[in-house]
Amino acid sequence: MSIFSRLTVKTKLVLTFVFLNIVILIIGILGYTSANRAGKNAENIFQQNLQPITSSSKLAELFERTRVNIRDVLIATSASRRQEFMNQTQILRSSTDKLVEEYEKRLSSEEERQIFTEYRNALQQYRNFRQQVYQQALNGDEIGAINNLQTQGPLLGTTVSQSLERLVEYNQRIAAKHKVETQELVSAASYTITSVIFIALGISILLAWL
């Protein structure tokens, strides 16, 4: 205490300004670090969760269009119309395969990979079933193909749809988790910065008083 009391006003001011500059530097580092981590969390939400949710929704849409297209193939009134619908099926398959390939590259956890594998297996089973139905129709057994579609199709289709719903639910859950982590990070950073500011003000006042 006596050492500080013997300091000149100029020296005290210099010490105060130096200390405040150090505090400002600390606050800047804390702010940058927090903003950087929050930005990474936000990027993770977009890249790993929101995009897969969009892709899952598109895959579900393509699958429903495929199911309708199968029906159109079976009830087509001419060979040319049937071939037209079958060509449309190939287009839908190509679009689906492209999305599936892109989605697989973004898999971020073992749980998501397991659900995705279940989806791919269910989709392949449905495609095998679809091919059987097409073959029945091409062999002239349209009624048998329609009956087959009505009896087995719903169960196989539901399995595919449910696996896609599980992918959406998974990514929504992880996105919510990242959101909470980001909020907690920002809150903790704000608390830390505020605490440092008040401590700095207290020490500055103390230096000035001494």
Side-chain angles (χ1 to χ4, degrees):
M1 295 287 289
S2 59
I3 296 177
F4 287 106
S5 62
R6 289 199 297 269
L7 295 176
T8 63
V9 174
K10 179 180 179 181
T11 303
K12 290 181 180 180
L13 288 175
V14 170
L15 288 175
T16 301
F17 281 120
V18 170
F19 178 74
L20 288 177
N21 284 331
I22 294 174
V23 169
I24 291 173
L25 177 63
I26 293 173
I27 292 174
I29 293 173
L30 288 174
Y32 174 80
T33 303
S34 300
N36 190 41
R37 290 177 62 186
K40 287 183 178 179
N41 274 356
E43 184 179 355
N44 286 337
I45 292 175
F46 178 74
Q47 293 288 346
Q48 298 180 10
N49 304 120
L50 296 185
Q51 283 191 346
I53 289 174
T54 301
S55 296
S56 298
S57 300
K58 289 181 179 179
L59 286 170
E61 178 187 350
L62 288 169
F63 181 66
E64 291 306 317
R65 288 173 60 188
T66 299
R67 297 179 73 174
V68 172
N69 192 254
I70 295 173
R71 181 206 62 190
D72 292 339
V73 169
L74 298 182
I75 65 176
T77 55
S78 66
S80 60
R81 287 289 289 169
R82 175 170 293 167
Q83 187 60 49
E84 179 183 339
F85 288 128
M86 292 184 71
N87 291 340
Q88 183 63 31
T89 300
Q90 289 302 117
I91 294 174
L92 292 171
R93 175 169 183 156
S94 297
S95 299
T96 299
D97 289 342
K98 182 179 179 180
L99 270 177
V100 166
E101 183 179 350
E102 292 174 354
Y103 193 114
E104 189 172 16
K105 293 177 181 178
R106 290 195 295 263
L107 294 174
S108 58
S109 72
E110 188 58 36
E111 181 182 357
E112 186 180 18
R113 183 174 297 278
Q114 181 179 352
I115 300 173
F116 182 77
T117 300
E118 292 174 2
Y119 158 70
R120 294 195 70 168
N121 292 339
L123 180 63
Q124 188 57 50
Q125 288 180 1
Y126 192 87
R127 285 177 170 177
N128 294 338
F129 165 75
R130 179 188 65 197
Q131 195 58 39
Q132 292 174 4
V133 170
Y134 281 177
Q135 195 59 49
Q136 277 185 287
L138 292 174
N139 291 337
D141 186 14
E142 289 88 353
I143 295 178
I146 292 174
N147 289 335
N148 198 15
L149 181 64
Q150 292 175 339
T151 54
Q152 299 185 48
L155 178 60
L156 293 172
T158 298
T159 303
V160 176
S161 298
Q162 287 178 342
S163 60
L164 286 171
E165 290 173 1
R166 288 180 61 199
L167 281 174
V168 171
E169 291 171 357
Y170 167 82
N171 283 289
Q172 287 175 337
R173 172 164 51 86
I174 299 303
K177 179 181 177 182
H178 284 315
K179 181 180 178 181
V180 171
E181 289 175 352
T182 301
Q183 291 173 339
E184 291 176 348
L185 176 64
V186 172
S187 178
S190 299
Y191 176 79
T192 302
I193 290 173
T194 302
S195 300
V196 170
I197 290 174
F198 277 108
I199 292 172
L201 287 174
I203 294 177
S204 299
I205 294 172
L206 180 62
L207 285 174
W209 180 71
L210 293 175

